[in-house]
Amino acid sequence: MKSIQLKIWPEIENYCQALIPLQKIPEDKQNSINIDFSYAKSLNSSGLCILIIGLLKQIHTAPGRSWSIIEPVNSQITDGLKKLGLMEILDSYINVKTIFWSEAEKVDIMVPYSYLNSNLNKTISYPIYRLSYKDDRRGCIQAFKDWLFLILEPIFKTYHFPRSNFIAVLNELAKNGADHTVTDAFFGIDLMYLEGGSAVKLCFSFGDLGHGLNENVKLHLSNDDEYRNRSKHLSLSDAYHYALIPGKTTRPASKDNKGIGMSIVFDVARAINMELSVFDANSRAILTNAQDRTHAELRKVFYNTGADVGFYYYGEIISKVK
Amino acid sequence: MRKISISKDIGVYDIGKVREVETIISQIEISETEVQINLDECLIDYPATGKLMDAILSQLEKTGTDRKVLRIVYDCDLSEATLLNWLFLGSTFFNISEKKELGLDELKPAISKILSEKNIVVQICIQNFEGVELKNYSYE
């Protein structure tokens, strides 16, 4: 039986992978699958994080298949894929046939990968961080915060970088993920030094293997008397508007969840001049462009992507040297 | 006025961590009637930060019947509602421990009721990274 070639879009950078969905694997066949990285030409952690989530979702829909990886022609990309943890993560879900990685090459999440990016800026990318919610939700999020405090220390010391508030946004995204899925979440972060180091740009992506905010809100509202009839027809901006109403949560019975998560994400990201996008269903919203949380403002910041792109957050922030 | 910077004086950046907050509470003894708590560069989170605020307000209350002032300095220019919720969410001092995030119309009266009973003023000062004051809120 002929293998299916799952061709990876050449740019594995920033949010590019969120806009180009992976080819859908037919669920009713048993063909083996080749993940084809042949002509991958650029790579960073935030881009790879989104790709990994997409791949893992495909793996869930096509269990029991035989998976192989076709190496990139560019050896620097091969090196980056190893150091950022692609193989280690895939290997923990499926047995992937490859000759370019062995167990001995496991990554240390404290060790960054340094290189010149496609714009020739000195860049430091950290290995993809995996949050496994099912073991210890609270401990897993605390470990994630502790790791962020450590890796961001050098930037915090040298640049006007709002470390704690930056981490606060990610903390809320992680908590939201933990509230809505028992699967894993993934995080990628890149530090690009601009103008000879006089500024630094941080890019990150975050996503999990759950349904995404839109689906969660719709599911929740289908059980709500006030919204039941409207829930099927809610637009994406309606769903996000609901999530941003003070105290609204899809976990009303939870003592831990006070319904403030999305308010913090929205307000803090705006306050620290982060540009935060969410990719959900057929849209991208640049949440931080909304001047307030009204429905009218939120509608302005949603853009149609033309295809279902999954569910990811992508953010950028630039800080100047002290 | 007694001034305490959580990050600079105590060396803690994550006041969203319950263990860290318990350490801070064990180190702070307030006998003055005016206290400034600087939260610059600190990560706020529920429920730990609310517990810290409760402990400071409780200590301040015990200093006597005179007018007392808690000034909170913070470096993130949030909306007033988000700021108050984030600082005081789950507070037993303000009797909102069971409440979800509240709108300003509910939160401000709940806070003011307790503050006026206990003769405490809470001031929140938002400043930028250069220490320039951007906004000031006062509740009593």
Side-chain angles (χ1 to χ4, degrees):
Chain A
M1 203 182 295
K2 202 176 168 189
S3 296
I4 294 170
Q5 300 295 113
L6 199 59
K7 293 190 81 169
I8 304 302
W9 194 257
E11 291 88 4
I12 313 172
E13 272 189 313
N14 306 346
Y15 61 81
C16 200
Q17 293 290 326
L19 289 178
I20 317 288
L22 288 167
Q23 172 197 337
K24 287 265 183 285
I25 297 171
E27 291 180 33
D28 56 340
K29 303 212 171 108
Q30 283 304 310
N31 311 55
S32 58
I33 299 153
N34 292 331
I35 308 171
D36 185 358
F37 281 97
S38 298
Y39 293 103
K41 66 173 192 180
S42 59
L43 171 73
N44 66 13
S45 191
S46 40
L48 184 62
C49 176
I50 293 171
L51 173 61
I52 284 176
I53 294 166
L55 283 171
L56 291 177
K57 284 186 174 172
Q58 291 275 31
I59 286 166
H60 277 286
T61 61
R65 306 287 187 90
S66 169
W67 292 76
S68 305
I69 286 188
I70 299 174
E71 277 184 60
V73 169
N74 181 337
S75 61
Q76 193 191 331
I77 301 292
T78 306
D79 194 36
L81 289 173
K82 284 186 203 173
K83 288 181 173 160
L84 297 180
L86 168 79
M87 285 309 303
E88 197 171 325
I89 290 169
L90 290 184
D91 192 57
S92 67
Y93 286 86
I94 45 164
N95 182 20
V96 189
K97 289 177 199 150
T98 178
I99 54 164
F100 85 101
W101 182 80
S102 72
E103 277 273 323
E105 293 176 277
K106 286 200 165 180
V107 297
D108 178 345
I109 54 166
M110 294 307 299
V111 179
Y113 170 53
S114 301
Y115 57 99
L116 294 179
N117 72 1
S118 53
N119 293 321
L120 300 180
N121 296 121
K122 183 189 166 193
T123 304
I124 289 176
S125 293
Y126 277 87
I128 307 300
Y129 191 99
R130 176 177 174 174
L131 294 97
S132 297
Y133 295 132
K134 64 182 173 209
D135 300 329
D136 171 11
R137 174 192 184 275
R138 201 169 282 195
C140 150
I141 294 169
Q142 187 59 56
F144 177 53
K145 278 198 295 177
D146 291 345
W147 176 72
L148 287 166
F149 268 105
L150 280 173
I151 66 160
L152 297 173
E153 178 80 16
I155 301 293
F156 174 63
K157 281 186 172 165
T158 313
Y159 295 88
H160 288 295
F161 171 61
R163 180 177 62 171
S164 292
N165 292 317
F166 177 81
I167 296 173
V169 173
L170 297 171
N171 180 41
E172 294 303 330
L173 297 183
K175 287 200 291 185
N176 272 349
D179 280 342
H180 300 117
T181 178
V182 290
T183 61
D184 296 342
F186 298 90
F187 172 76
I189 186 166
D190 308 287
L191 287 58
M192 284 162 233
Y193 294 89
L194 310 175
E195 299 162 4
S198 63
V200 66
K201 179 176 175 179
L202 272 76
C203 304
F204 70 87
S205 64
F206 184 92
D208 58 51
L209 302 176
H211 297 299
L213 190 144
N214 179 46
E215 278 298 310
N216 282 325
V217 168
K218 280 185 176 173
L219 198 65
H220 170 68
L221 293 183
S222 64
N223 298 316
D224 183 308
D225 291 340
E226 189 186 340
Y227 285 89
R228 184 174 293 129
N229 293 331
R230 290 170 54 197
S231 64
K232 285 180 194 161
H233 311 291
L234 281 185
S235 67
L236 259 175
S237 53
D238 290 331
Y240 279 81
H241 180 241
Y242 176 86
L244 285 163
I245 296 171
K248 290 291 184 192
T249 169
T250 55
R251 293 290 166 108
S254 167
K255 284 197 167 181
D256 287 339
N257 186 326
K258 294 280 186 184
I260 194 175
M262 286 305 288
S263 298
I264 298 296
V265 168
F266 183 81
D267 273 21
V268 178
R270 277 179 55 80
I272 62 174
N273 292 321
M274 176 192 285
E275 185 183 279
L276 181 66
S277 291
V278 59
F279 294 83
D280 198 346
N282 293 285
S283 293
R284 172 196 184 189
I286 307 176
L287 286 179
T288 43
N289 277 358
Q291 298 304 303
D292 54 47
R293 300 186 224 170
T294 57
H295 189 244
E297 267 303 308
L298 286 170
R299 281 184 64 179
K300 289 183 196 168
V301 302
F302 273 83
Y303 299 87
N304 198 311
T305 54
D308 189 342
V309 290
F311 178 64
Y312 317 93
Y313 288 97
Y314 174 83
E316 295 183 353
I317 182 170
I318 296 175
S319 301
K320 296 230 156 108
V321 75
K322 282 181 180 170
Chain B
M1 179 183 277
R2 167 99 177 270
K3 292 185 178 178
I4 304 165
S5 166
I6 301 292
S7 60
K8 291 185 177 69
D9 299 335
I10 304 179
V12 170
Y13 291 92
D14 187 356
I15 54 165
K17 202 189 258 187
V18 174
R19 206 171 54 238
E20 298 278 30
V21 161
E22 285 167 354
T23 308
I24 296 168
I25 293 169
S26 70
Q27 288 180 19
I28 295 179
E29 261 183 52
I30 295 168
S31 52
E32 299 83 353
T33 54
E34 294 195 5
V35 181
Q36 175 177 295
I37 300 289
N38 191 323
L39 303 179
D40 279 2
E41 297 163 5
C42 287
L43 192 158
I44 292 173
D45 197 8
Y46 167 82
T49 305
K51 286 185 196 302
L52 176 63
M53 292 298 128
D54 274 2
I56 292 167
L57 284 162
S58 297
Q59 285 203 34
L60 199 56
E61 183 191 357
K62 287 175 189 155
T63 59
T65 53
D66 290 350
R67 184 175 184 266
K68 297 157 286 271
V69 177
L70 170 62
R71 183 175 156 85
I72 300 166
V73 178
Y74 188 46
D75 59 357
C76 194
D77 187 7
L78 304 175
S79 69
E80 187 181 8
T82 301
L83 187 64
L84 285 178
N85 272 291
W86 215 18
L87 287 170
F88 301 121
L89 205 60
S91 167
T92 51
F93 190 86
F94 291 122
N95 294 330
I96 53 171
S97 59
E98 300 299 318
K99 302 277 189 187
K100 301 274 179 198
E101 182 188 13
L102 293 168
L104 268 186
D105 53 338
E106 283 183 272
L107 192 50
K108 278 170 85 169
I111 288 174
S112 293
K113 179 175 178 286
I114 302 295
L115 291 177
S116 90
E117 279 171 20
K118 300 183 190 269
N119 201 13
I120 299 175
V121 180
V122 170
Q123 298 169 344
I124 303 177
C125 168
I126 305 297
Q127 61 181 34
N128 66 11
F129 62 83
E130 290 165 323
V132 176
E133 189 174 311
L134 304 174
K135 277 182 192 164
N136 216 321
Y137 302 105
S138 186
Y139 310 92
E140 54 191 295

